[in-house]
């Protein structure tokens, strides 16, 4: 998931401190409601430490209406798609549904690497990626396929 719609950076503010707009707060809750409706309640959420992702996380959790374990991971903010892949590889095998909340362009590059296709992320977009089944030769043509996509409404507030 990419964070929801943010305010522009103001003078003296760091990029880490950027906040959500009122629309962004609404998008985050709507995203959580969508996850709940689709029965995609995460077993674990990995989230960037940036204010906008933490605020998106709060809205998603409000929409889900349940408590979910959360790990704040600086590599989601500072890293690249290889760092996100490393985080994925270190997640406990008992986690069946994992949610990343991150930033463009890295989250898009990561999704591209997982699906072997170009995908785009407007604010508060969620991609539901599912591991691919092996083909007849026992090899997968890519790691994951895109099952569903949530694109937050831009006029809901």
């Amino acid at each position: 998931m990419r964070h929801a719609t943010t305010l522009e950076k103001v003078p003296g503010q760091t990029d880490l401190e950027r906040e959500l707009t009122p629309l962004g707060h609404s998008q985050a809750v709507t995203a959580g409601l969508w996850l709940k409706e689709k029965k995609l309640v995460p077993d674990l959420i990995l989230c960037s430490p940036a204010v906008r992702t933490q605020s998106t996380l709060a809205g998603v959790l409000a929409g889900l209406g349940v408590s979910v374990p959360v790990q704040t991971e600086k590599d989601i903010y500072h890293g690249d798609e290889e760092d996100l892949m490393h985080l994925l590889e270190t997640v406990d095998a008992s986690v069946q549904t994992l949610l990343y909340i991150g930033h463009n362009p890295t989250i898009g590059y990561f999704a591209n690497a997982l699906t072997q296709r170009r995908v785009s992320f407007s604010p508060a977009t969620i991609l539901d990626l599912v591991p691919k089944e092996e083909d007849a030769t026992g090899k997968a043509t890519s790691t994951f396929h895109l099952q569903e996509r949530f694109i937050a409404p831009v006029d809901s507030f």
Side-chain angles (χ1 to χ4, degrees), residues 97-117:
T97 303
L98 173 68
L99 177 63
Y100 279 85
I101 302 178
H103 309 267
N104 249 0
T106 305
I107 200 79
Y109 295 153
F110 181 52
N112 294 347
L114 291 176
T115 62
Q116 302 297 303
R117 64 184 271 198

Side-chain angles (χ1 to χ4, degrees), residues 63 69-70 108 121 139 141 150:
V70 175
F121 279 84
K139 293 187 175 185
T141 55
F150 169 81

Side-chain angles (χ1 to χ4, degrees), residues 1-9 13 15-31 47 50-60 101-103 123-124 157:
M1 175 179 190
R2 180 180 175 194
H3 62 76
T5 301
T6 62
L7 295 167
E8 294 297 319
K9 189 172 136 183
Q13 182 182 48
D15 186 63
L16 274 168
E17 298 169 325
R18 288 178 51 209
E19 298 180 14
L20 297 183
T21 64
L23 170 63
H25 287 286
S26 175
Q27 290 172 326
V29 172
T30 302
C47 188
V51 169
R52 61 191 177 275
T53 50
Q54 293 291 314
S55 295
T56 299
L57 168 64
V60 166
I101 302 178
H103 309 267
F157 191 80

Side-chain angles (χ1 to χ4, degrees), residues 81-151:
E81 65 272 19
E82 290 177 11
D83 295 312
L84 296 186
M85 188 67 76
H86 175 72
L87 286 172
L88 178 62
E89 292 165 352
T90 61
V91 169
D92 189 273
S94 66
V95 173
Q96 296 296 303
T97 303
L98 173 68
L99 177 63
Y100 279 85
I101 302 178
H103 309 267
N104 249 0
T106 305
I107 200 79
Y109 295 153
F110 181 52
N112 294 347
L114 291 176
T115 62
Q116 302 297 303
R117 64 184 271 198
R118 188 168 171 80
V119 292
S120 62
F121 279 84
S122 57
T125 295
I126 300 172
L127 298 185
D128 174 16
L129 303 179
V130 178
K132 269 205 167 182
E133 299 294 324
E134 295 177 349
D135 64 17
T137 65
K139 293 187 175 185
T141 55
S142 67
T143 310
F144 290 82
H145 74 271
L146 175 59
Q147 184 162 303
E148 289 198 62
R149 180 189 312 235
F150 169 81
I151 301 174

